[in-house]
Amino acid sequence: MKVYKFGGASIETPERMTETAKIIAATEEQPLLVVISALGKTTNALEKVVDSFFYERKDEALKLFEKIKEQHLNFIKYTIVKNWKEAENKLKDFFTEIEWLLHDKPVREYDYYYDQIVCCGELMSTSIVHYILLELTIDAAWIDVRDLIRTDDNFRDAIIDWKVTGENVESQLKPLIALHKVVITQGFVGATDENESTTLGREGSDFTAAIFASLLDAEDVTIWKDVPGVMSGDPKSYAAAEVLPALSYSEVVEMAYYGAQVIHPKTIKPLQNKKIPLNVRSFLDPTLAGTTISSAITKDLPALVINKANQVMLTFRSKDFSFVEDKPINALYEMFHSLKIKPTVSQNAAISLICCFTDREEKINSLAASAAEYFDVALERNLSLVTIRHYNEEVIENLTGDKEIVLLQKTHEVLQAVIRNPVS
């Protein structure tokens, strides 16, 4: 069997949702498990509902949710004919689940309410796709992923209970797959043993697809995106960017480590354990081969370029010219941990430590203020970081030749340059 995953961009309009359903319907390899995200921008809209509810602006929360309801009902209007009433009633069940909560008062932590409300996006979108498939006479079933993926109660970044999740897959998902050509479920979402909704954190939908592929021993996983495959760089900032037909698991993990918006390492691990290939293909043009990520070693790769804008550099210098070590440096790393930030690049010297971060202004200012107890702190904003894997002199010159470099690190495989942006 195969596993497909579609993100929010693939279903952000009724037209795209219909085309996505046609890609699913046209897949000859059956059975097929399909993991789908919320409609494009729905998660952001639901986050605003959470904010309004948690800070006790109930009327505002209900008004914001009303717009989300109308959006999803309009999708049904434009995509479903035969079973529109049944599809509408299914959506209304999800609406009720959220509205019941919104009429209450918040008595628990923010992250708990975030997960109870935001999970609704995936439930609604997958329900609509399911009814579109039925409209296309595809033998498709829908299942609530909260009945399958068991997690702890670390809301917004829940940890999978693989044992119970595996048992649920055996007892509920596999029998459903045996009966139907296509099974639709949700990404990003799970549930505790007390049936409280949880979410899986960054790239949770891709991770969901990998979890099921591993537990089902799938033939492969395909993630459908709005790009022709994994590219060697962002074509907006690197004109020589090209589609990479093949990558190894380890190469993708390295790219992600340096900040490439490819596949999150937590998605790769379950697939790597079972040697299940991962395909990245374009829903805009399904005829393209895309990229295959597998255990096969990839050789002769071009330079892989990762650009990170909005960087800030902090220099922590010892106040008394002693070595930067022991208590002060331990305290500094405790600050990184408590603020949940980590350097994108760092460099040690005898009496100083230089770190670059993505500039989240409030956190960076807090770090600088706290670190001033131990260090003289200098801060510089308006920087960029370019990372080049498998670099060559031509690419280095092309990307950095006319730039003002304030920090440079270089190994035999990776070059990183922090660049001072021109003042506009």
Side-chain angles (χ1 to χ4, degrees):
M1 70 162 298
K2 291 178 174 287
V3 177
Y4 279 1
K5 181 264 174 175
F6 290 92
S10 68
I11 54 171
E12 67 180 355
T13 66
E15 293 77 18
R16 279 196 174 181
M17 185 177 274
T18 300
E19 289 304 311
T20 290
K22 288 178 180 177
I23 291 172
I24 297 168
T27 302
E28 294 180 0
E29 298 92 342
Q30 306 290 355
L32 180 66
L33 177 68
V34 183
V35 174
I36 302 179
S37 301
L39 302 183
K41 300 185 176 61
T42 296
T43 299
N44 291 341
L46 286 166
E47 287 173 346
K48 292 179 180 177
V49 174
V50 179
D51 287 345
S52 297
F53 165 76
F54 189 76
Y55 295 108
E56 299 193 47
R57 302 190 299 269
K58 184 177 80 171
D59 291 344
E60 180 180 282
L62 289 166
K63 188 175 180 180
L64 289 169
F65 190 58
E66 193 66 34
K67 291 180 181 178
I68 296 169
K69 289 165 55 179
E70 289 175 9
Q71 178 196 23
H72 287 77
L73 290 170
N74 281 334
F75 266 67
I76 287 177
K77 186 186 300 182
Y78 291 113
T79 58
I80 299 168
V81 177
K82 289 181 288 188
N83 298 309
W84 70 268
K85 190 61 181 175
E86 188 178 340
E88 182 181 78
N89 289 339
K90 185 74 172 176
L91 280 184
K92 287 180 176 178
D93 287 343
F94 301 133
F95 297 163
T96 301
E97 183 177 335
I98 300 304
E99 287 172 327
W100 175 82
L101 186 151
L102 294 179
H103 280 96
D104 206 347
K105 279 190 174 242
V107 293
R108 297 182 62 171
E109 69 276 15
Y110 180 93
D111 288 352
Y112 167 79
Y113 291 109
Y114 180 98
D115 282 4
Q116 309 319 301
I117 293 171
V118 168
C119 73
C120 186
E122 276 70 16
L123 295 166
M124 294 186 297
S125 66
T126 53
S127 176
I128 299 171
V129 173
H130 175 227
Y131 280 103
I132 295 174
L133 288 170
L134 296 180
E135 196 92 353
L136 296 171
T137 67
I138 300 301
D139 177 19
W142 180 96
I143 188 168
D144 190 330
V145 77
R146 295 174 298 182
D147 293 332
L148 300 172
I149 291 186
R150 180 62 50 81
T151 74
D152 66 5
D153 61 358
N154 184 31
F155 298 104
R156 294 190 73 178
D157 196 16
I159 304 299
I160 303 294
D161 183 328
W162 283 88
K163 181 177 183 295
V164 177
T165 300
E167 291 169 355
N168 292 339
V169 166
E170 288 290 331
S171 63
Q172 298 181 60
L173 184 56
K174 283 188 176 181
L176 199 62
I177 289 170
L179 292 173
H180 300 277
K181 290 184 175 180
V182 177
V183 175
I184 304 290
T185 195
Q186 305 78 42
F188 182 57
V189 177
T192 68
D193 55 9
E194 295 182 354
N195 293 320
E196 296 171 323
S197 300
T198 56
T199 60
L200 307 182
R202 182 184 166 198
E203 303 298 333
S205 290
D206 290 355
F207 186 34
T208 302
I211 292 166
F212 285 131
S214 177
L215 293 173
L216 293 166
D217 292 316
E219 179 184 337
D220 60 22
V221 177
T222 300
I223 294 178
W224 295 86
K225 292 176 169 282
D226 57 357
V227 293
V230 178
M231 302 191 73
S232 59
D234 183 348
K236 294 176 183 176
S237 57
Y238 179 49
E242 58 185 279
V243 176
L244 303 167
L247 285 169
S248 66
Y249 297 126
S250 59
E251 190 66 50
V252 170
V253 171
E254 289 287 344
M255 291 171 70
Y257 173 80
Y258 288 108
Q261 299 298 307
V262 282
I263 308 298
H264 196 278
K266 72 180 181 183
T267 297
I268 294 294
K269 188 59 181 170
L271 303 179
Q272 186 178 23
N273 290 345
K274 293 278 188 81
K275 296 187 177 179
I276 299 171
L278 172 63
N279 306 305
V280 179
R281 295 180 61 189
S282 171
F283 63 78
L284 298 174
D285 187 353
T287 64
L288 298 176
T291 302
T292 297
I293 300 163
S294 70
S295 57
I297 301 301
T298 43
K299 297 180 179 180
D300 301 320
L301 286 170
L304 306 179
V305 178
I306 300 131
N307 283 293
K308 291 182 74 70
N310 193 34
Q311 297 292 293
V312 57
M313 185 168 72
L314 276 73
T315 302
F316 306 96
R317 187 178 297 274
S318 172
K319 289 184 174 184
D320 59 2
F321 290 92
S322 62
F323 289 115
V324 179
E325 56 186 17
D326 299 331
K327 184 179 177 181
I329 203 70
N330 291 336
L332 186 62
Y333 279 96
E334 280 295 321
M335 294 174 206
F336 296 172
H337 179 73
S338 64
L339 288 166
K340 296 183 179 179
I341 57 175
K342 63 179 181 178
T344 50
V345 63
S346 61
Q347 186 167 293
N348 282 80
I351 59 171
S352 66
L353 172 66
I354 300 171
C355 295
C356 284
F357 302 88
T358 298
D359 191 1
R360 298 181 181 122
E361 187 171 356
E362 184 177 339
K363 290 189 175 187
I364 295 301
N365 291 345
S366 176
L367 172 62
S370 299
E373 178 182 348
Y374 300 94
F375 304 95
D376 290 325
V377 182
L379 183 154
E380 182 177 357
R381 288 191 155 95
N382 194 33
L383 304 172
S384 298
L385 171 64
V386 60
T387 301
I388 312 171
R389 280 182 61 76
H390 314 300
Y391 59 84
N392 56 58
E393 293 305 319
E394 181 182 352
V395 174
I396 295 172
E397 177 63 25
N398 179 31
L399 292 171
T400 68
D402 60 347
K403 305 292 193 303
E404 185 180 358
I405 297 174
V406 296
L407 179 66
L408 182 69
Q409 289 190 349
K410 192 175 180 182
T411 69
H412 73 285
E413 196 168 55
V414 177
L415 179 144
Q416 291 189 285
V418 179
I419 294 167
R420 181 175 288 126
N421 297 323
V423 177
S424 55

